[in-house]
Amino acid sequence: NNLGLNYLSLRMYDSAKHYLMKADIEAKKHGDVSVQITTSLNFAQIALYQEQVDSIKFHATNALRLSQKYGANELKGLAQYGLAYHYLLKKEYTTSAIYADSALRLANQYKISDLKQKLFALLSSLNYGRQNTALGYDFFNRYEILSDSMLNNSIANNTIRIEKKFETERKDVKIKLQQAEIDRKNTLNIFLGLGAGALLIILLLSYLNYKHRQNLQQIKIEELETEKQL
């Protein structure tokens, strides 16, 4: 399914269909309903891009059937959006509005901003098609406001993510610097300890040398005194 989505994002529709079909077969084999629904929605999206109006209805209807059967309400909203788009292209505005309104209720209930954004654009086009310019402009205005809000949220989230990343890196650098300082102090203490030990050895050797000289001098003095007595 992921390969199919990658090809879909690249607008390589034949390759996308190939891998989506394989994903759908595997999903049916293993009873993965969620993948079956999303695969149908992706097929509907490809049909939309390729202006295959009837295929949009076929795949969106399949996605809606599965989502209703298994209670996948968020995906149900996307399926209803697909059908609303199909009927909008057919200029069947009343049926399109029924699906769009139902999808909008789900988008509000489950706070699906991306779906709301798409539905506002669709409902704007729908009402302009009905010659209701006031409502068409109202939905277009809602679309613009929501798009700005989503963009601002995206920027804010990216800013927070970047700030957290830099804060983590800053802490890592601080920890490394602290560790380097600890290592430097430990090394210095080792050298100081070695230096102090060496100094003690030098002092001890100097003291022993001094005592040895004193002993030699004392022996000479005693020898001289002995000679004088003789």
Side-chain angles (χ1 to χ4, degrees):
N1 195 30
N2 289 335
L3 274 173
L5 292 176
N6 288 336
Y7 282 115
L8 178 56
S9 66
L10 295 170
R11 303 293 176 94
M12 298 172 67
Y13 301 127
D14 289 339
S15 296
K17 286 180 182 179
H18 172 73
Y19 286 104
L20 287 171
M21 184 63 71
K22 290 179 68 175
D24 189 53
I25 291 169
E26 287 297 312
K28 287 175 180 175
K29 188 187 298 183
H30 295 97
D32 192 334
V33 179
S34 178
V35 172
Q36 291 179 55
I37 297 171
T38 55
T39 300
S40 293
L41 292 171
N42 289 327
F43 273 122
Q45 188 175 357
I46 292 171
L48 171 62
Y49 288 146
Q50 294 185 321
E51 299 180 356
Q52 297 172 348
V53 180
D54 291 333
S55 290
I56 297 172
K57 181 182 179 181
F58 174 79
H59 294 296
T61 300
N62 188 51
L64 181 59
R65 178 182 61 81
L66 289 170
S67 60
Q68 287 175 327
K69 183 177 180 180
Y70 293 97
N73 289 320
E74 294 183 32
L75 296 174
K76 177 182 173 182
L78 289 169
Q80 289 176 332
Y81 165 75
L83 286 167
Y85 210 110
H86 162 78
Y87 286 109
L88 175 64
L89 294 174
K90 288 281 200 176
K91 296 185 179 180
E92 297 181 26
Y93 300 125
T94 301
T95 307
S96 177
I98 290 171
Y99 282 111
D101 290 342
S102 179
L104 186 58
R105 284 193 294 273
L106 289 171
N108 286 324
Q109 181 180 349
Y110 294 100
K111 296 179 173 58
I112 313 171
S113 297
D114 290 348
L115 180 57
K116 282 178 68 174
Q117 182 190 36
K118 290 181 173 68
L119 286 164
F120 285 156
L122 184 148
L123 286 165
S124 176
S125 297
L126 186 152
N127 282 286
Y128 276 123
R130 283 175 159 177
Q131 306 303 313
N132 189 339
T133 55
L135 198 54
Y137 178 76
D138 178 61
F139 276 112
F140 177 76
N141 192 45
R142 292 192 212 180
Y143 166 80
E144 290 279 276
I145 292 170
L146 181 57
S147 296
D148 289 343
S149 174
M150 289 171 64
L151 178 61
N152 290 335
N153 286 339
S154 177
I155 292 170
N157 289 335
N158 284 335
T159 301
I160 292 169
R161 180 178 58 79
I162 292 168
E163 286 177 350
K164 284 183 178 178
K165 179 183 177 183
F166 280 123
E167 180 64 19
T168 301
E169 290 177 352
R170 189 185 68 80
K171 287 180 180 178
D172 288 342
V173 170
K174 185 177 179 181
I175 290 169
K176 287 177 182 178
L177 288 173
Q178 288 174 340
Q179 187 59 49
E181 180 65 16
I182 291 169
D183 291 343
R184 187 188 67 80
K185 288 180 179 178
N186 287 340
T187 303
L188 181 61
N189 288 336
I190 290 169
F191 278 115
L192 288 174
L194 291 172
L199 181 60
L200 285 172
I201 291 171
I202 291 168
L203 288 173
L204 179 59
L205 290 173
S206 298
Y207 175 75
L208 292 173
N209 187 47
Y210 169 75
K211 291 296 290 182
H212 180 66
R213 285 183 178 181
Q214 273 192 331
N215 289 335
L216 288 174
Q217 287 178 350
Q218 185 62 36
I219 291 168
K220 285 183 179 181
I221 290 169
E222 289 175 355
E223 287 178 350
L224 288 172
E225 287 180 351
T226 303
E227 290 177 357
K228 286 178 181 180
Q229 288 175 0
L230 292 173

